[in-house]
Amino acid sequence: MKKTLYDKLWDEHHIYSYDNGYSLIYINKHLIHEVTSPQAFEGLKQAGRSIWRKKSVMAVPDHNVPTTLREAGIKDPISKIQVDALNKNCKTNDLLKFDLEDIRQGIVHVVGPEQGIILPGMTVVCGDSHTSTHGALAALAFGIGTSEVEHVLATQCLLQKKSLNMNIKVNGKMPEYFYSKDLALLIISQIGTAGGTGYAIEYTGNAIRDLSMEARMTLCNMTIEAGATTGLVAVDEKTISYVENKPYSPKGENFSSAKKYWENLTSDNDALYDKIIDIDISESSPMITWGTSPEMAVGIDGKLPSLDDERFSSKRQDLLNAFSYMGLKEKQSVNSIELDKIFIGSCTNSRIEDLRIVADIVKNKKIANNIKSAIIVPGSGLVKEKAENEGLDKIFTKSGFEWRSPGCSMCLGMNDDKLNEYERCASTSNRNFEGRQGRLGRTHLVSPATAAAAAIHGHFVDVRDM
Amino acid sequence: MKKFKEIKSIAAYIDRKNIDTDAIIPKQYLKAVTREGFGEALFDDWRYLEPGNLGDNHALRKKNPEFFLHDPKNEGAQILIAGDNFGCGSSREHAVWALMDYGFNVVISSSFADIFYNNCFKNGLLPIVLNDSNMDKLISNVNKKNNIYMISLENQLIKCDDLEIKFKIDNRRKEVLIKGIDDISETLKLSDKIKEYENIKAVKTPWMFNG
Ligand code: SF4
């Protein structure tokens, strides 16, 4: 039988089939952060159970942590309790953790691959839906709830039903200033936020092969916004050279034998998919979301939908809700939208390549006067260090950006970084839900390039015209 | 986990699609380290007219009188009916805890996001998926008058006077709810198989056990 990449990963980790369609799947790597783990550790303790394989865990605080004045520690007492709980749980159980003071600390989905803790062919889970990020390394990775975190801690396994296979074939040459973030938004706007529900999505096609590893991570990261818990890209030379020489990746002979294994992590020719979607991107424009769901997206040169448009007839109420929440009108052109804040960061777009793109655009320019705050939050301490070695931080601060310490920050606003009521933000994060970045805050999801251009102009502009 | 029993209750309907878990329970409440007490913050941004925080006395906050939970006819509802793609977004299980803590035992929609759907069964919340025509039937019934609905998981049936709607659910999930099965104990019965798997793979692909 010809197998897809997903089939191969599934089979390799399959331990047992129950007669009701469920399987027991082995989990290699378990990433943990402070928000979704405390109740799992508590549950484990109450049941008197221990952790099955301690070395499978990597923990890092990221959601709650301050991005300024790190030395002063966490001011918010409630956030502190949560981070302290993570510290305590990791200490008692002897688990690998990167502390706030450690240069390796950062957003869990940036840190894992950066350390070589995530490798092709692994199964990876985390109590966080953006675990799909790691599929860029051809790892079977998906987000789980807290009860499942407890289940994996206790058993190293999960009960799963196999997903269907979807192949999104992306062909054509990536246009200038069109990035994998734009591609993700384009796909979601076409298939919808539930379009991938029940599927594992594999991205194939020449445009995907052309993407860098970091760009692939951005795309797989956003897969969950299309409803699929897993996004995958097959192994190629880029994958292998990415994982080579990372702190936790295999070395010497071990590397060679792993490499042989990894090279097989591609879908067989003529493998069968349950659904195939073809996309040609040669003519695509940079994307921006205008509404309160990632599928509400248009090209930067486009307009907001019309309420009379028949394609939206069943969604009329949703459009009205979104227009009203976002303070926008139908048929408005997006590049006239004025902004208050700029956020560059999150597990979607906070890696070094993202920061280089931003630096390229803002170099020797100043952010517009109407922008109240523009922050850049690197994905990890190591990304931060690299950016500083390249002098990017100087470019940012000279332009008027704030250069912060790593964490989730304004992606979800659990720390001090958030939107105030009715503030409008160009954000490189992944969710524009109501209140996501702060109560009544208005989020527009864009690529780092489009966010950078908007910072300079104070409103959205087509970055291709700059 | 407590066993799922037959439900007799009125149903509250929220006419909205794509209700995400950020809307079900906003981030500031995720700083809690326990599973209890989220009910008062369920749908927090929509339900109250002013912002709230963990540890607030919610009884003192100004309510949004137009929000469906504050409609007297929805008081005490154990059944929630909502639009398509319910529970999308963040994996936070707090969303399920909040719904249950509020008093909901059943959520009915035309579709659910995968992670949310999974989380329901770990906590004893029954998510029922209905096709569009059954959704329409149910909603028009709810809109007509304040009915009591009987929901039997055993018979996979929603019943109210003449209205009878059968629903599908896979057997394993059904059993988990009805018996209140603890997945971890079930899995641990297969400990030997898990160890055997590890022993084989540790030789074949040792790098998968890095860390
Ligand atoms: S950056 Fe945002 S999406 Fe990513 S893990 Fe943090 S909160 Fe979640």
Side-chain angles (χ1 to χ4, degrees):
Chain A
M1 248 272 287
K2 309 266 189 201
K3 287 181 180 180
T4 65
L5 171 57
Y6 173 68
D7 296 336
K8 290 184 184 177
L9 293 168
W10 174 270
D11 290 350
E12 191 67 25
H13 293 88
H14 180 273
I15 293 186
Y16 185 75
S17 296
Y18 293 91
D19 52 13
N20 49 31
Y22 282 79
S23 298
L24 196 66
I25 294 298
Y26 189 79
I27 303 301
N28 295 115
K29 207 39 85 177
H30 190 181
L31 307 176
I32 282 182
H33 62 81
E34 74 277 24
V35 175
T36 53
S37 66
Q39 293 89 349
F41 281 106
E42 189 55 34
L44 208 63
K45 201 166 115 194
Q46 273 170 17
R49 292 180 175 129
S50 51
I51 295 178
W52 184 281
R53 190 163 64 80
K54 294 181 174 181
K55 282 206 179 307
S56 70
V57 179
M58 181 211 92
V60 65
D62 56 0
H63 281 62
N64 255 334
V65 305
T67 57
T68 51
L69 299 173
R70 268 295 168 75
E71 317 74 58
I74 304 177
K75 270 190 304 188
D76 173 17
I78 310 175
S79 299
K80 189 164 182 312
I81 291 174
Q82 214 167 38
V83 173
D84 286 348
L86 181 71
N87 289 345
K88 194 172 134 261
N89 288 327
C90 291
K91 205 158 172 211
T92 342
N93 292 296
D94 196 17
L95 305 175
L96 173 68
K97 181 170 79 68
F98 301 123
D99 287 318
L100 221 48
E101 301 74 37
D102 193 316
I103 192 163
R104 295 169 294 179
Q105 180 271 340
I107 305 169
V108 63
H109 307 308
V110 175
V111 175
E114 187 174 72
Q115 288 299 318
I117 284 175
I118 309 299
L119 296 168
M122 284 181 167
T123 39
V124 181
V125 296
C126 175
D128 190 285
S129 57
H130 290 96
T131 310
S132 58
T133 310
H134 311 285
L137 290 125
L140 176 54
F142 48 88
I144 55 178
T146 298
S147 296
E148 288 178 318
V149 170
E150 187 178 335
H151 192 282
V152 176
L153 286 173
T155 69
Q156 212 55 50
C157 292
L158 268 182
L159 287 164
Q160 287 273 304
K161 235 181 178 171
K162 198 176 172 196
S163 304
L164 298 170
N165 279 290
M166 185 188 294
N167 181 359
I168 300 191
K169 290 186 187 168
V170 189
N171 285 307
K173 195 173 169 318
M174 292 278 275
E176 220 188 339
Y177 295 109
F178 182 89
Y179 299 94
S180 63
K181 177 63 162 289
D182 300 299
L183 174 57
L185 291 172
L186 180 73
I187 291 170
I188 299 162
S189 72
Q190 291 188 3
I191 72 173
T193 47
T197 304
Y199 290 93
I201 295 179
E202 182 182 349
Y203 298 99
T204 66
N206 63 3
I208 304 299
R209 301 265 68 90
D210 289 346
L211 294 179
S212 71
M213 287 309 289
E214 294 193 358
R216 293 175 190 177
M217 287 183 216
T218 302
L219 181 61
C220 290
N221 171 281
M222 293 289 289
T223 303
I224 184 66
E225 309 311 330
T229 54
T230 298
L232 288 166
V233 176
V235 167
D236 60 11
E237 293 106 63
K238 286 182 189 170
T239 324
I240 290 174
S241 59
Y242 178 87
V243 295
E244 196 168 5
N245 294 322
K246 294 272 188 282
Y248 287 85
S249 60
K251 307 281 164 349
E253 240 173 73
N254 270 336
F255 183 83
S256 317
S257 73
K259 184 167 175 254
K260 271 204 203 93
Y261 180 96
W262 293 333
E263 280 163 350
N264 187 35
L265 293 175
T266 57
S267 289
D268 294 336
N269 283 336
D270 306 321
L272 287 181
Y273 292 88
D274 301 283
K275 191 166 184 172
I276 298 178
I277 290 175
D278 278 292
I279 291 182
D280 190 311
I281 45 154
S282 333
E283 305 290 321
S284 304
S285 305
M287 299 291 288
I288 156 175
T289 66
W290 54 264
T292 51
S293 160
E295 69 185 26
M296 295 172 167
V298 287
I300 188 80
D301 43 4
K303 285 183 170 27
L304 267 61
S306 151
L307 288 165
D308 305 325
D309 191 330
E310 272 180 31
R311 283 174 302 163
F312 299 110
S313 59
S314 69
K315 295 190 170 165
R316 209 166 170 273
Q317 191 54 46
D318 298 334
L319 295 194
L320 283 168
N321 288 348
F323 289 153
S324 130
Y325 182 86
M326 294 296 289
L328 297 171
K329 288 197 284 294
E330 61 167 335
K331 297 186 239 172
Q332 191 173 342
S333 53
V334 287
N335 55 24
S336 64
I337 299 173
E338 291 217 6
L339 294 153
D340 303 300
K341 286 186 172 166
I342 309 290
F343 171 62
I344 290 167
S346 89
C347 56
T348 313
N349 283 127
S350 63
R351 296 177 181 84
I352 191 70
E353 290 175 12
D354 299 315
L355 302 186
R356 287 181 191 140
I357 291 168
V358 174
D360 244 12
I361 289 172
V362 305
K363 191 167 189 178
N364 298 326
K365 298 196 181 79
K366 284 255 181 287
I367 59 173
N369 286 333
N370 60 309
I371 300 294
K372 294 182 211 159
S373 111
I375 64 173
I376 302 185
V377 186
S380 72
L382 287 168
V383 171
K384 186 172 196 227
E385 183 186 59
K386 201 182 255 170
E388 288 171 359
N389 288 341
E390 295 179 15
L392 306 187
D393 59 321
K394 298 272 166 357
I395 296 175
F396 298 146
T397 48
K398 238 174 108 189
S399 305
F401 282 93
E402 288 174 55
W403 176 240
R404 298 290 188 86
S405 293
C408 294
S409 179
M410 216 204 275
C411 173
L412 90 166
M414 271 187 89
N415 64 357
D416 289 340
D417 312 333
K418 44 184 136 220
L419 297 183
N420 296 320
E421 297 189 354
Y422 309 115
E423 277 180 344
R424 190 182 293 285
C425 180
S427 177
T428 66
S429 55
N430 40 55
R431 284 188 176 138
N432 52 355
F433 300 154
E434 287 188 15
R436 170 78 178 181
Q437 294 191 293
R439 194 175 198 264
L440 299 176
R442 295 162 170 170
T443 302
H444 296 274
L445 305 176
V446 287
S447 74
T450 297
I456 301 303
H457 288 265
H459 58 85
F460 284 114
V461 287
D462 192 331
V463 38
R464 295 170 297 185
D465 298 339
M466 270 183 81
Chain B
M1 196 172 75
K2 88 174 195 295
K3 295 177 184 168
F4 189 92
K5 301 258 164 52
E6 198 178 275
I7 303 276
K8 280 203 183 71
S9 160
I10 51 163
Y13 171 49
I14 176 165
D15 180 11
R16 232 185 139 113
K17 293 188 188 121
N18 296 315
I19 295 181
D20 58 82
T21 53
D22 277 78
I24 298 173
I25 183 85
K27 62 211 146 235
Q28 63 269 33
Y29 299 101
L30 308 190
K31 292 179 183 175
V33 290
T34 58
R35 294 176 194 237
E36 291 84 37
F38 294 105
E40 285 183 302
L42 175 67
F43 298 124
D44 201 78
D45 282 349
W46 295 339
R47 187 166 154 201
Y48 299 98
L49 293 171
E50 48 201 28
N53 218 331
L54 191 67
D56 281 359
N57 180 348
H58 300 279
L60 301 177
R61 293 171 64 200
K62 210 186 272 156
K63 289 185 178 138
N64 171 6
E66 278 159 35
F67 191 55
F68 82 118
L69 289 182
H70 296 139
D71 187 335
K73 79 172 175 13
N74 288 332
E75 212 166 286
Q78 295 177 45
I79 304 165
L80 175 67
I81 305 171
D84 208 32
N85 198 26
F86 187 84
C88 59
S90 146
S91 63
R92 58 187 72 163
E93 199 160 317
H94 311 64
V96 174
W97 301 335
L99 287 161
M100 296 199 71
D101 196 53
Y102 181 86
F104 288 118
N105 287 308
V106 181
V107 188
I108 305 177
S109 173
S110 41
S111 73
F112 292 91
D114 283 338
I115 302 178
F116 175 86
Y117 188 75
N118 243 328
N119 285 341
C120 287
F121 293 94
K122 309 286 177 185
N123 295 278
L125 181 66
L126 169 63
I128 300 180
V129 184
L130 295 183
N131 63 25
D132 288 339
S133 81
N134 279 333
M135 262 320 258
D136 290 346
K137 260 192 239 163
L138 181 64
I139 290 165
S140 73
N141 199 286
V142 170
N143 285 338
K144 247 186 287 167
K145 68 176 200 293
N146 220 358
N147 290 318
I148 300 279
Y149 295 82
M150 189 279 295
I151 294 185
S152 160
L153 176 55
E154 193 78 54
N155 303 317
Q156 299 177 214
L157 183 70
I158 304 171
K159 195 171 155 23
C160 170
D161 301 333
D162 298 343
L163 180 81
E164 282 198 16
I165 299 172
K166 291 283 271 178
F167 61 88
K168 286 194 195 132
I169 185 163
D170 81 47
N171 285 335
R172 149 89 194 162
R173 306 254 198 207
K174 179 173 170 179
E175 196 190 342
V176 162
L177 288 186
I178 288 179
K179 295 191 181 152
I181 291 176
D182 167 23
D183 279 339
I184 298 182
S185 329
E186 285 299 293
T187 301
L188 287 174
K189 289 183 190 156
L190 295 174
S191 289
D192 288 349
K193 284 209 176 337
I194 303 171
K195 283 187 194 132
E196 191 188 310
Y197 174 94
E198 283 180 325
N199 292 337
I200 295 170
K201 298 290 174 180
V203 176
K204 203 182 144 214
T205 50
W207 46 271
M208 282 212 209
F209 297 83
N210 71 355

